Structure formats: structure tokens, C-alpha cells
Amino acid sequence: MEGPVAVLIRDGDERSRDVPQQELPAGTRPGAVLRVPSPGGHPNWSAAILDDDARRTRLREAEETLARLRRRDPGGDVKL
């Protein structure tokens, strides 16, 4: 969220799109996952719904990745 605009990142190709927050469902916050119908290839923001299960899954996957990376970190300063 950047002021009155939400920066959305599309699954698959990770393209971003700026969308006014007032066009998104109530309760949309950073890290939210939205399911947006796209009839004819055009997103229908007024019909978007929050997908809390997908959000929780993504957060868990990110936490697992961070934990795995922390286990590999030998600590100390980096020497180039």
C-alpha cells in the first residue's frame, strides 16, 4: 500500500499494477491475496474477494524459507 494506491503483483508473471484502494474489498491490507475475476481479460476489481487461506499458505512458505536460510548462515562478517 502506497498512500491511496495499492500495488498489486500478479501471480505467474509478477507484473505489477497500481489500483486505487477504494476499488478493492474492505479489509485489503499489505500481504493480502485477492481473487479477481477477469472477464474478457479485464480485471473486475469490484468483484474481487480476499483469499485468507492463500495468504496464510504464502506466509507459512515464506517463514519456512527464511528458517531454512537462517540455518545455512554461518554468521560473521562477509569477506569479498
Side-chain angles (χ1 to χ4, degrees), residues 1-7 18-30:
M1 305 286 189
E2 296 179 5
V5 175
V7 179
D18 296 348
V19 178
Q21 287 187 37
Q22 73 263 15
E23 292 185 27
L24 301 176
T28 301
R29 61 182 194 273

Side-chain angles (χ1 to χ4, degrees), residues 35-46:
R35 299 289 174 206
V36 184
S38 298
H42 301 288
N44 180 357
W45 301 112
S46 64

Side-chain angles (χ1 to χ4, degrees), residues 6-80:
V7 179
L8 305 180
I9 301 173
R10 189 166 78 176
D11 283 345
D13 62 9
E14 296 187 4
R15 288 192 306 175
S16 66
R17 179 181 205 138
D18 296 348
V19 178
Q21 287 187 37
Q22 73 263 15
E23 292 185 27
L24 301 176
T28 301
R29 61 182 194 273
V33 175
L34 297 172
R35 299 289 174 206
V36 184
S38 298
H42 301 288
N44 180 357
W45 301 112
S46 64
I49 58 170
L50 292 166
D51 187 337
D52 286 328
D53 290 335
R55 182 186 61 81
R56 283 189 291 273
T57 297
R58 291 177 187 202
L59 284 173
R60 185 180 65 249
E61 289 169 353
E63 290 166 355
E64 290 169 357
T65 298
L66 284 172
R68 188 177 67 252
L69 291 171
R70 285 187 185 115
R71 286 190 299 272
R72 291 181 14 194
D73 182 4
D77 293 336
V78 174
K79 295 182 182 178
L80 301 176

